[in-house]
Amino acid sequence: MSFNQSDITALIALLLSSVNLFAAIRTILSAGEKKLDERLSKAESKLVEYDRRIQALENEIKHLPDRDTTHRIEMTMAQIMGRLDAQDATLAGRFSAMDERLKPIQAIGERLQDVLIEQARNAA
């Protein structure tokens, strides 16, 4: 089979057109890959950021008391409040008794003040 120049030119044109078509298809497909790569890199950076935040939260939570410890603290606080209420009642009783004992002294002081005021009026 012999090829003349027009056949060779046609074959070269066909070959170049095929290469051009292949390059165009590859460009179209790789454009989607580039967008996908960008999205994937953004997602990876977000994932790393979230991982760091989760680790920070875990470190903060490690030293916090758990449910049982919190319950024990609540029970101890309730006991302390009960004891304080009992002491308040005892002190209230003592203060009311002290009030009763101080009433005569207060009355003496008031009468003495009245006498002094009366003497000051008579002297003026």
Side-chain angles (χ1 to χ4, degrees):
M1 186 170 190
S2 88
F3 291 106
N4 61 14
Q5 190 165 359
S6 65
D7 290 337
I8 292 174
T9 306
L11 283 175
I12 291 175
L14 180 65
L15 180 65
L16 289 175
S17 296
S18 298
V19 169
N20 193 14
L21 179 65
F22 177 73
I25 291 173
R26 185 167 182 226
T27 303
I28 290 171
L29 294 178
S30 68
E33 283 181 19
K34 287 179 184 175
K35 288 180 183 177
L36 194 59
D37 284 342
E38 290 174 7
R39 289 177 57 196
L40 183 61
S41 65
K42 285 181 183 178
E44 285 176 346
S45 67
K46 282 288 191 183
L47 184 62
V48 168
E49 179 186 337
Y50 291 148
D51 185 47
R52 288 182 185 150
R53 289 176 64 189
I54 288 171
Q55 286 177 358
L57 286 173
E58 286 176 347
N59 288 336
E60 286 296 320
I61 289 175
K62 281 182 185 176
H63 69 275
L64 294 177
D66 60 354
R67 186 173 62 178
D68 295 332
T69 305
T70 306
H71 181 67
R72 285 194 306 267
I73 291 170
E74 288 173 352
M75 296 303 293
T76 304
M77 292 295 289
Q79 288 176 349
I80 291 171
M81 291 301 294
R83 290 177 186 170
L84 287 175
D85 288 342
Q87 285 183 356
D88 282 348
T90 303
L91 287 175
R94 288 181 183 172
F95 285 137
S96 65
M98 186 69 83
D99 254 357
E100 291 298 319
R101 289 181 185 160
L102 290 177
K103 281 184 182 179
I105 297 171
Q106 181 182 2
I108 291 171
E110 289 174 359
R111 283 188 298 234
L112 190 58
Q113 182 180 4
D114 290 341
V115 169
L116 289 173
I117 290 173
E118 195 63 38
Q119 285 177 357
R121 285 185 190 158
N122 291 335

